[in-house]
Coordinates of all heavy atoms in Angstrom, one line a residue:
L1 N 4.5 4.1 9.3 CA 4.9 3.1 10.3 C 3.9 3.0 11.4 O 3.6 1.9 11.9 CB 6.3 3.3 10.8 CG 7.4 3.3 9.8 CD1 8.8 3.6 10.4 CD2 7.4 2.0 9.1
V2 N 3.3 4.1 11.8 CA 2.3 4.1 12.8 C 1.1 3.3 12.4 O 0.5 2.6 13.1 CB 1.9 5.6 13.2 CG1 0.7 5.6 14.2 CG2 3.1 6.3 13.8
G3 N 0.7 3.5 11.1 CA -0.4 2.7 10.6 C -0.2 1.2 10.6 O -1.1 0.5 10.9
L4 N 1.0 0.8 10.4 CA 1.3 -0.6 10.5 C 1.2 -1.1 12.0 O 0.8 -2.2 12.2 CB 2.7 -0.9 10.0 CG 2.8 -0.8 8.4 CD1 4.2 -0.9 8.0 CD2 1.9 -1.8 7.7
E5 N 1.6 -0.2 12.9 CA 1.5 -0.6 14.3 C 0.0 -0.8 14.7 O -0.4 -1.7 15.4 CB 2.1 0.4 15.2 CG 3.6 0.5 15.1 CD 4.4 -0.8 15.6 OE1 3.8 -1.5 16.4 OE2 5.5 -1.0 15.1
L6 N -0.8 0.1 14.1 CA -2.3 0.0 14.4 C -2.8 -1.2 13.7 O -3.7 -1.9 14.3 CB -3.0 1.3 13.8 CG -4.5 1.4 14.1 CD1 -4.8 1.2 15.6 CD2 -5.0 2.7 13.6
C7 N -2.3 -1.6 12.6 CA -2.8 -2.9 11.9 C -2.5 -4.0 12.8 O -3.3 -4.9 13.0 CB -2.1 -3.1 10.6 SG -2.8 -2.2 9.2
A8 N -1.3 -4.0 13.4 CA -0.9 -5.1 14.3 C -1.8 -5.2 15.5 O -2.2 -6.3 15.9 CB 0.6 -5.0 14.7
V9 N -2.1 -4.0 16.1 CA -3.0 -4.0 17.3 C -4.4 -4.6 16.9 O -4.9 -5.4 17.6 CB -3.2 -2.6 17.8 CG1 -4.3 -2.4 18.8 CG2 -1.8 -2.1 18.4
W10 N -4.9 -4.1 15.7 CA -6.2 -4.6 15.3 C -6.2 -6.1 15.0 O -7.1 -6.8 15.3 CB -6.7 -3.8 14.1 CG -7.2 -2.5 14.5 CD1 -7.7 -2.1 15.7 CD2 -7.4 -1.4 13.6 NE1 -8.1 -0.8 15.7 CE2 -8.0 -0.3 14.4 CE3 -7.2 -1.2 12.3 CZ2 -8.3 0.9 13.9 CZ3 -7.5 0.1 11.8 CH2 -8.0 1.1 12.6
L11 N -5.1 -6.6 14.5 CA -5.0 -8.1 14.2 C -5.0 -8.8 15.6 O -5.6 -9.9 15.7 CB -3.8 -8.4 13.4 CG -3.9 -8.0 11.9 CD1 -2.5 -8.2 11.2 CD2 -4.9 -8.9 11.2
R12 N -4.3 -8.3 16.5 CA -4.2 -9.0 17.8 C -5.6 -9.0 18.5 O -6.0 -9.9 19.2 CB -3.3 -8.2 18.8 CG -1.8 -8.5 18.5 CD -0.9 -7.8 19.5 NE 0.4 -7.9 19.1 CZ 1.1 -6.8 18.6 NH1 0.5 -5.7 18.4 NH2 2.3 -7.0 18.2
Q13 N -6.4 -8.0 18.2 CA -7.8 -7.9 18.7 C -8.8 -8.6 17.9 O -10.0 -8.6 18.2 CB -8.2 -6.4 18.8 CG -7.4 -5.6 19.8 CD -7.8 -4.1 19.8 OE1 -8.4 -3.6 18.9 NE2 -7.4 -3.5 20.9
G14 N -8.4 -9.2 16.8 CA -9.3 -10.0 15.9 C -10.1 -9.1 14.9 O -11.0 -9.5 14.3
K15 N -9.6 -7.8 14.8 CA -10.3 -6.9 13.9 C -9.6 -6.9 12.6 O -9.1 -5.9 12.1 CB -10.3 -5.5 14.5 CG -11.0 -5.4 15.9 CD -10.9 -4.1 16.5 CE -11.7 -4.1 17.9 NZ -11.5 -2.8 18.6
N16 N -9.7 -8.0 11.9 CA -9.0 -8.3 10.7 C -9.5 -7.4 9.5 O -8.7 -6.9 8.7 CB -9.1 -9.7 10.3 CG -8.4 -10.6 11.3 OD1 -8.1 -10.2 12.4 ND2 -8.3 -11.9 10.9
E17 N -10.8 -7.1 9.5 CA -11.3 -6.3 8.4 C -10.8 -4.9 8.5 O -10.5 -4.2 7.5 CB -12.8 -6.3 8.4 CG -13.4 -7.7 7.9 CD -14.9 -7.7 7.9 OE1 -15.5 -6.6 7.8 OE2 -15.4 -8.8 7.9
R18 N -10.7 -4.4 9.8 CA -10.2 -3.0 10.0 C -8.8 -2.9 9.6 O -8.3 -1.9 8.9 CB -10.4 -2.6 11.4 CG -11.8 -2.3 11.8 CD -12.0 -2.0 13.3 NE -11.9 -0.5 13.4 CZ -12.0 0.1 14.5 NH1 -12.2 -0.5 15.6 NH2 -12.0 1.5 14.5
A19 N -8.0 -3.9 9.9 CA -6.6 -3.9 9.6 C -6.4 -4.0 8.1 O -5.6 -3.3 7.5 CB -5.9 -5.1 10.3
A20 N -7.2 -4.8 7.4 CA -7.1 -4.9 5.9 C -7.5 -3.6 5.3 O -6.8 -3.2 4.3 CB -8.1 -6.0 5.5
R21 N -8.5 -2.9 5.8 CA -8.9 -1.7 5.2 C -7.8 -0.6 5.4 O -7.5 0.1 4.4 CB -10.2 -1.2 5.9 CG -11.0 -0.3 5.1 CD -12.4 0.0 5.6 NE -12.6 0.0 7.1 CZ -13.2 -1.0 7.7 NH1 -13.7 -2.1 7.1 NH2 -13.4 -1.0 9.0
L22 N -7.2 -0.6 6.5 CA -6.1 0.4 6.8 C -4.9 0.1 5.9 O -4.3 1.0 5.3 CB -5.7 0.4 8.2 CG -4.6 1.3 8.6 CD1 -4.9 2.8 8.2 CD2 -4.3 1.2 10.1
A23 N -4.6 -1.2 5.7 CA -3.5 -1.6 4.8 C -3.7 -1.1 3.4 O -2.9 -0.6 2.7 CB -3.2 -3.1 4.9
G24 N -5.0 -1.3 3.0 CA -5.3 -0.8 1.6 C -5.2 0.7 1.5 O -4.8 1.2 0.5
E25 N -5.6 1.4 2.5 CA -5.6 2.9 2.5 C -4.1 3.3 2.4 O -3.7 4.3 1.7 CB -6.3 3.5 3.7 CG -7.8 3.3 3.6 CD -8.5 3.7 4.9 OE1 -7.8 4.1 5.9 OE2 -9.7 3.5 5.0
M26 N -3.2 2.6 3.2 CA -1.8 3.0 3.2 C -1.2 2.7 1.8 O -0.4 3.5 1.3 CB -1.1 2.2 4.3 CG -1.4 2.6 5.7 SD -0.3 1.9 6.9 CE -0.8 0.2 6.8
R27 N -1.6 1.6 1.2 CA -1.1 1.3 -0.1 C -1.5 2.4 -1.1 O -0.7 2.9 -1.9 CB -1.6 -0.1 -0.6 CG -1.1 -0.4 -2.0 CD -1.5 -1.8 -2.3 NE -1.2 -2.1 -3.7 CZ -2.0 -2.5 -4.6 NH1 -3.3 -2.8 -4.3 NH2 -1.6 -2.8 -5.9
E28 N -2.8 2.8 -1.1 CA -3.2 3.8 -2.0 C -2.5 5.1 -1.8 O -2.1 5.8 -2.7 CB -4.7 4.0 -1.8 CG -5.6 2.9 -2.3 CD -7.1 3.1 -1.9 OE1 -7.5 4.1 -1.4 OE2 -7.8 2.1 -2.1
T29 N -2.2 5.5 -0.5 CA -1.5 6.7 -0.2 C -0.1 6.6 -0.7 O 0.4 7.6 -1.3 CB -1.5 6.9 1.3 OG1 -2.8 7.1 1.8 CG2 -0.7 8.2 1.7
F30 N 0.6 5.5 -0.6 CA 1.9 5.3 -1.1 C 2.0 5.5 -2.6 O 2.9 6.1 -3.1 CB 2.5 4.0 -0.7 CG 3.2 4.0 0.7 CD1 2.6 4.5 1.8 CD2 4.5 3.5 0.8 CE1 3.2 4.5 3.0 CE2 5.1 3.5 2.0 CZ 4.5 4.0 3.1
Q31 N 1.0 4.9 -3.3 CA 0.9 5.1 -4.7 C 0.7 6.5 -5.1 O 1.3 7.0 -6.0 CB -0.2 4.2 -5.3 CG 0.0 2.7 -5.2 CD -1.2 1.9 -5.7 OE1 -2.3 2.3 -5.4 NE2 -0.9 0.7 -6.3
R32 N -0.3 7.2 -4.5 CA -0.6 8.6 -4.8 C 0.6 9.5 -4.5 O 0.8 10.4 -5.3 CB -1.8 9.0 -3.9 CG -2.4 10.3 -4.3 CD -3.7 10.7 -3.6 NE -3.6 10.6 -2.2 CZ -4.1 9.7 -1.4 NH1 -4.8 8.7 -2.0 NH2 -4.0 9.7 -0.1
L33 N 1.4 9.2 -3.5 CA 2.6 10.0 -3.2 C 3.8 9.6 -3.9 O 4.9 10.1 -3.6 CB 2.8 10.0 -1.7 CG 1.7 10.6 -0.8 CD1 2.0 10.5 0.6 CD2 1.5 12.1 -1.2
S34 N 3.7 8.6 -4.8 CA 4.8 8.1 -5.6 C 6.0 7.6 -4.7 O 7.1 8.0 -5.0 CB 5.3 9.2 -6.6 OG 4.3 9.5 -7.5
Q35 N 5.6 6.9 -3.7 CA 6.7 6.3 -2.9 C 7.4 5.2 -3.6 O 6.9 4.8 -4.7 CB 6.0 5.7 -1.6 CG 5.4 6.8 -0.7 CD 6.5 7.7 -0.2 OE1 7.5 7.3 0.5 NE2 6.4 9.0 -0.4
P36 N 8.6 4.8 -3.2 CA 9.4 3.9 -3.9 C 8.6 2.6 -4.2 O 7.7 2.1 -3.4 CB 10.5 3.5 -3.0 CG 10.7 4.8 -2.1 CD 9.3 5.3 -2.0
V37 N 8.9 2.0 -5.4 CA 8.1 0.8 -5.8 C 8.3 -0.3 -4.8 O 7.3 -1.0 -4.6 CB 8.7 0.4 -7.2 CG1 8.1 -1.0 -7.6 CG2 8.3 1.4 -8.3
E38 N 9.4 -0.5 -4.2 CA 9.6 -1.6 -3.2 C 8.7 -1.3 -2.0 O 8.2 -2.3 -1.4 CB 11.0 -1.7 -2.9 CG 11.9 -2.3 -4.0 CD 11.4 -3.6 -4.5 OE1 11.1 -4.5 -3.6 OE2 11.4 -3.9 -5.7
A39 N 8.5 -0.1 -1.6 CA 7.6 0.2 -0.5 C 6.2 -0.2 -0.9 O 5.4 -0.8 -0.1 CB 7.7 1.7 -0.1
Q40 N 5.8 0.2 -2.1 CA 4.5 -0.1 -2.6 C 4.3 -1.7 -2.7 O 3.2 -2.2 -2.4 CB 4.2 0.5 -3.9 CG 4.1 2.0 -3.9 CD 3.9 2.6 -5.2 OE1 3.0 2.2 -6.0 NE2 4.6 3.7 -5.5
T41 N 5.3 -2.4 -3.1 CA 5.3 -3.8 -3.2 C 5.1 -4.4 -1.8 O 4.3 -5.4 -1.7 CB 6.6 -4.4 -3.8 OG1 6.7 -3.8 -5.1 CG2 6.6 -5.9 -3.9
A42 N 5.8 -3.9 -0.8 CA 5.6 -4.5 0.6 C 4.2 -4.3 1.0 O 3.6 -5.2 1.6 CB 6.6 -3.8 1.5
L43 N 3.6 -3.1 0.8 CA 2.2 -2.9 1.2 C 1.2 -3.7 0.4 O 0.2 -4.2 0.9 CB 1.9 -1.4 1.2 CG 2.5 -0.6 2.3 CD1 2.3 0.9 2.1 CD2 1.9 -1.0 3.6
A44 N 1.5 -3.9 -0.9 CA 0.7 -4.7 -1.7 C 0.6 -6.2 -1.2 O -0.4 -6.8 -1.2 CB 1.1 -4.7 -3.2
F45 N 1.8 -6.6 -0.8 CA 1.8 -8.0 -0.2 C 1.0 -8.1 1.0 O 0.2 -9.0 1.2 CB 3.3 -8.4 0.1 CG 3.4 -9.7 0.8 CD1 3.3 -10.9 0.1 CD2 3.5 -9.8 2.2 CE1 3.3 -12.1 0.7 CE2 3.5 -11.1 2.8 CZ 3.4 -12.2 2.1
L46 N 1.1 -7.1 1.9 CA 0.2 -7.0 3.1 C -1.2 -7.0 2.8 O -2.1 -7.7 3.4 CB 0.6 -5.9 4.0 CG -0.2 -5.7 5.3 CD1 -0.1 -6.9 6.2 CD2 0.3 -4.4 6.0
V47 N -1.6 -6.2 1.8 CA -3.0 -6.1 1.4 C -3.5 -7.5 0.8 O -4.6 -7.9 1.2 CB -3.2 -5.0 0.3 CG1 -4.6 -5.1 -0.3 CG2 -3.0 -3.6 1.0
A48 N -2.7 -8.1 0.0 CA -3.0 -9.4 -0.5 C -3.2 -10.4 0.6 O -4.2 -11.2 0.6 CB -2.0 -9.9 -1.5
A49 N -2.3 -10.4 1.5 CA -2.4 -11.3 2.7 C -3.7 -11.1 3.4 O -4.4 -12.0 3.8 CB -1.2 -11.2 3.6
S50 N -4.0 -9.8 3.6 CA -5.2 -9.5 4.3 C -6.5 -9.9 3.6 O -7.4 -10.5 4.1 CB -5.3 -7.9 4.5 OG -4.3 -7.5 5.3
N51 N -6.5 -9.7 2.3 CA -7.6 -10.1 1.4 C -7.8 -11.6 1.4 O -8.9 -12.1 1.2 CB -7.5 -9.5 0.0 CG -7.6 -8.0 0.0 OD1 -8.2 -7.4 0.9 ND2 -7.1 -7.4 -1.0
L52 N -6.7 -12.3 1.5 CA -6.8 -13.8 1.5 C -7.0 -14.4 2.8 O -7.2 -15.6 3.0 CB -5.5 -14.4 0.9 CG -5.3 -14.0 -0.6 CD1 -3.9 -14.5 -1.1 CD2 -6.4 -14.7 -1.5
G53 N -7.0 -13.5 3.9 CA -7.3 -14.0 5.2 C -6.2 -14.6 6.0 O -6.3 -15.3 7.0
F54 N -4.9 -14.3 5.5 CA -3.8 -14.9 6.3 C -2.8 -13.8 6.7 O -1.7 -14.0 7.1 CB -3.1 -16.0 5.5 CG -2.3 -15.6 4.3 CD1 -1.0 -15.2 4.4 CD2 -3.0 -15.6 3.0 CE1 -0.3 -14.8 3.2 CE2 -2.3 -15.3 1.9 CZ -0.9 -14.9 2.0
A55 N -3.3 -12.5 6.9 CA -2.5 -11.5 7.5 C -2.3 -11.8 8.9 O -3.2 -12.4 9.6 CB -3.2 -10.1 7.3
S56 N -1.1 -11.5 9.4 CA -0.8 -11.8 10.8 C 0.1 -10.7 11.3 O 0.7 -9.9 10.6 CB -0.1 -13.2 10.9 OG 1.1 -13.1 10.2
V57 N 0.3 -10.7 12.6 CA 1.2 -9.7 13.2 C 2.6 -9.9 12.7 O 3.2 -8.9 12.3 CB 1.1 -9.8 14.8 CG1 2.2 -8.9 15.4 CG2 -0.3 -9.4 15.3
P58 N 3.1 -11.1 12.6 CA 4.5 -11.2 12.0 C 4.6 -10.7 10.6 O 5.6 -10.1 10.2 CB 4.7 -12.7 12.0 CG 3.9 -13.2 13.1 CD 2.7 -12.4 13.1
I59 N 3.6 -10.8 9.7 CA 3.6 -10.2 8.4 C 3.6 -8.7 8.5 O 4.4 -8.0 7.8 CB 2.4 -10.7 7.5 CG1 2.6 -12.2 7.2 CG2 2.3 -9.9 6.3 CD1 1.4 -12.8 6.5
V60 N 2.8 -8.1 9.4 CA 2.8 -6.7 9.5 C 4.2 -6.2 10.0 O 4.8 -5.2 9.5 CB 1.7 -6.2 10.5 CG1 1.9 -4.8 10.9 CG2 0.3 -6.5 9.9
E61 N 4.8 -6.9 11.0 CA 6.1 -6.6 11.5 C 7.2 -6.7 10.4 O 8.1 -5.9 10.4 CB 6.4 -7.5 12.7 CG 5.6 -7.1 13.9 CD 5.7 -8.1 15.1 OE1 6.3 -9.2 14.9 OE2 5.3 -7.7 16.2
H62 N 7.1 -7.7 9.6 CA 8.0 -7.9 8.5 C 7.9 -6.7 7.6 O 9.0 -6.1 7.1 CB 7.7 -9.2 7.8 CG 8.6 -9.4 6.6 ND1 9.9 -9.9 6.7 CD2 8.4 -9.2 5.3 CE1 10.5 -10.0 5.5 NE2 9.6 -9.6 4.6
T63 N 6.7 -6.3 7.3 CA 6.5 -5.1 6.4 C 7.0 -3.8 7.0 O 7.8 -3.1 6.4 CB 5.0 -4.9 6.1 OG1 4.5 -6.2 5.5 CG2 4.7 -3.8 5.1
R64 N 6.7 -3.6 8.3 CA 7.3 -2.5 9.0 C 8.8 -2.4 9.0 O 9.4 -1.4 8.7 CB 6.7 -2.5 10.5 CG 7.2 -1.3 11.3 CD 7.2 -1.6 12.8 NE 8.0 -2.7 13.1 CZ 7.8 -3.6 14.0 NH1 6.8 -3.5 14.8 NH2 8.7 -4.6 14.3
D65 N 9.4 -3.6 9.4 CA 10.8 -3.7 9.4 C 11.5 -3.4 8.0 O 12.5 -2.7 7.9 CB 11.3 -5.0 9.9 CG 10.9 -5.3 11.3 OD1 10.5 -4.3 12.0 OD2 11.0 -6.5 11.8
F66 N 10.8 -3.9 7.0 CA 11.3 -3.6 5.6 C 11.3 -2.1 5.3 O 12.2 -1.6 4.8 CB 10.6 -4.4 4.6 CG 10.9 -4.0 3.2 CD1 12.1 -4.5 2.6 CD2 10.2 -3.1 2.5 CE1 12.5 -4.1 1.4 CE2 10.6 -2.7 1.2 CZ 11.8 -3.2 0.6
L67 N 10.2 -1.5 5.6 CA 10.0 -0.1 5.3 C 11.0 0.8 6.1 O 11.6 1.7 5.6 CB 8.6 0.4 5.6 CG 7.5 -0.1 4.7 CD1 6.1 0.4 5.1 CD2 7.8 0.2 3.2
Q68 N 11.3 0.4 7.3 CA 12.4 1.1 8.1 C 13.7 0.9 7.5 O 14.5 1.8 7.3 CB 12.4 0.6 9.5 CG 11.2 1.0 10.4 CD 11.2 0.4 11.7 OE1 11.5 -0.7 11.9 NE2 10.7 1.2 12.7
Q69 N 14.0 -0.3 7.0 CA 15.3 -0.6 6.4 C 15.5 0.1 5.0 O 16.5 0.5 4.6 CB 15.5 -2.1 6.2 CG 15.7 -2.8 7.5 CD 15.6 -4.4 7.3 OE1 15.5 -4.9 6.2 NE2 15.6 -5.1 8.4
L70 N 14.3 0.2 4.3 CA 14.3 0.9 3.0 C 14.7 2.3 3.1 O 15.4 2.9 2.2 CB 12.9 0.7 2.4 CG 12.8 1.2 0.9 CD1 13.7 0.4 0.0 CD2 11.3 1.1 0.5
R71 N 14.4 3.0 4.2 CA 14.8 4.3 4.5 C 16.4 4.5 4.4 O 16.9 5.4 3.9 CB 14.4 4.8 5.8 CG 12.9 5.1 5.9 CD 12.6 5.6 7.3 NE 11.3 6.2 7.4 CZ 10.8 6.5 8.6 NH1 11.4 6.4 9.7 NH2 9.6 7.1 8.6
E72 N 17.0 3.5 5.0 CA 18.5 3.5 5.1 C 19.1 3.0 3.8 O 20.3 3.4 3.5 CB 19.0 2.6 6.3 CG 18.4 3.1 7.6 CD 18.9 4.5 8.0 OE1 20.1 4.8 7.7 OE2 18.1 5.2 8.5
D73 N 18.5 2.1 3.1 CA 19.0 1.5 1.9 C 18.0 1.5 0.8 O 17.2 0.5 0.6 CB 19.5 0.0 2.2 CG 20.1 -0.6 1.0 OD1 20.3 0.0 -0.1 OD2 20.5 -1.8 1.1
P74 N 17.9 2.6 0.0 CA 16.9 2.7 -1.0 C 17.0 1.6 -2.1 O 16.1 1.5 -2.9 CB 17.1 4.1 -1.6 CG 18.1 4.8 -0.7 CD 18.8 3.7 0.1
E75 N 18.1 0.9 -2.2 CA 18.2 -0.2 -3.2 C 17.7 -1.5 -2.7 O 17.7 -2.5 -3.5 CB 19.7 -0.3 -3.6 CG 20.3 1.0 -4.1 CD 19.6 1.4 -5.4 OE1 19.4 0.6 -6.3 OE2 19.4 2.7 -5.5
L76 N 17.2 -1.6 -1.5 CA 16.8 -2.8 -0.9 C 15.6 -3.3 -1.7 O 14.7 -2.6 -2.2 CB 16.4 -2.6 0.5 CG 16.2 -3.7 1.5 CD1 17.5 -4.5 1.6 CD2 15.8 -3.2 2.8
K77 N 15.5 -4.7 -1.8 CA 14.3 -5.3 -2.5 C 13.5 -6.1 -1.5 O 14.0 -6.7 -0.6 CB 14.8 -6.3 -3.6 CG 15.7 -5.6 -4.7 CD 14.9 -4.7 -5.5 CE 15.8 -4.1 -6.6 NZ 15.2 -2.8 -7.1
F78 N 12.2 -5.9 -1.7 CA 11.2 -6.6 -0.8 C 11.2 -8.1 -1.1 O 11.2 -8.5 -2.2 CB 9.8 -6.0 -0.9 CG 8.8 -6.7 0.0 CD1 8.8 -6.5 1.3 CD2 7.9 -7.6 -0.5 CE1 7.9 -7.1 2.2 CE2 7.0 -8.3 0.3 CZ 7.0 -8.0 1.6
S79 N 11.2 -8.9 0.0 CA 10.9 -10.3 -0.2 C 9.9 -10.7 0.8 O 9.9 -10.3 2.0 CB 12.2 -11.1 0.0 OG 12.7 -11.0 1.3
A80 N 9.0 -11.6 0.4 CA 7.9 -12.0 1.3 C 8.5 -12.9 2.4 O 9.5 -13.6 2.2 CB 6.9 -12.8 0.5
P81 N 8.0 -12.8 3.6 CA 8.5 -13.6 4.7 C 8.3 -15.1 4.4 O 7.3 -15.5 3.7 CB 7.7 -13.1 5.9 CG 6.4 -12.6 5.3 CD 6.8 -12.0 4.0
A82 N 9.1 -15.9 5.0 CA 9.0 -17.4 4.9 C 7.8 -17.8 5.8 O 7.7 -17.3 7.0 CB 10.2 -18.0 5.3
F83 N 7.0 -18.7 5.4 CA 5.9 -19.2 6.2 C 6.2 -20.6 6.6 O 6.8 -21.4 5.9 CB 4.6 -19.2 5.3 CG 4.1 -17.9 5.0 CD1 4.4 -17.3 3.8 CD2 3.4 -17.1 5.9 CE1 4.0 -16.0 3.4 CE2 3.0 -15.8 5.6 CZ 3.3 -15.3 4.3
R84 N 5.8 -21.0 7.8 CA 6.0 -22.3 8.3 C 4.7 -23.0 8.6 O 3.7 -22.4 9.0 CB 6.8 -22.2 9.6 CG 8.2 -21.7 9.3 CD 8.9 -21.5 10.6 NE 10.1 -20.7 10.3 CZ 11.3 -21.1 10.5 NH1 11.6 -22.2 11.2 NH2 12.4 -20.3 10.3

């Protein structure tokens, strides 16, 4: 979760490449540690958003909030945030 906070800080500072790189590293770590599939899916979405250039603080916050909720409810399914 701290990594996601750092991603949000870097996005606010316009350091999108750094945020994207960190998101990718977090995803790899989650895969290597066999974290729940839904957690990996949430990070994969963030990585894809970063790679496509539309990562944003709200997307990072959505991912963070989901990961926090997943701790309490391991059956929870990830859904991408609605875009406007």
Side-chain angles (χ1 to χ4, degrees):
L1 297 177
V2 172
L4 291 172
E5 293 297 334
L6 185 54
C7 279
V9 168
W10 283 340
L11 286 170
R12 285 185 191 101
Q13 295 174 344
K15 298 177 181 175
N16 298 12
E17 288 181 21
R18 289 179 92 179
R21 203 167 34 252
L22 179 56
E25 291 169 4
M26 288 187 296
R27 180 177 175 232
E28 289 173 9
T29 299
F30 272 50
Q31 288 174 328
R32 190 172 53 254
L33 296 175
S34 299
Q35 292 297 302
V37 171
E38 290 300 317
Q40 293 181 46
T41 300
L43 285 172
F45 176 80
L46 177 58
V47 169
S50 297
N51 291 339
L52 293 171
F54 68 89
S56 64
V57 173
I59 289 174
V60 172
E61 291 171 344
H62 179 80
T63 304
R64 179 204 60 212
D65 293 347
F66 173 77
L67 293 178
Q68 288 175 324
Q69 293 169 3
L70 188 61
R71 286 179 167 173
E72 301 297 321
D73 182 3
E75 301 300 316
L76 196 60
K77 300 294 181 199
F78 179 75
S79 62
F83 294 98
R84 296 174 191 238

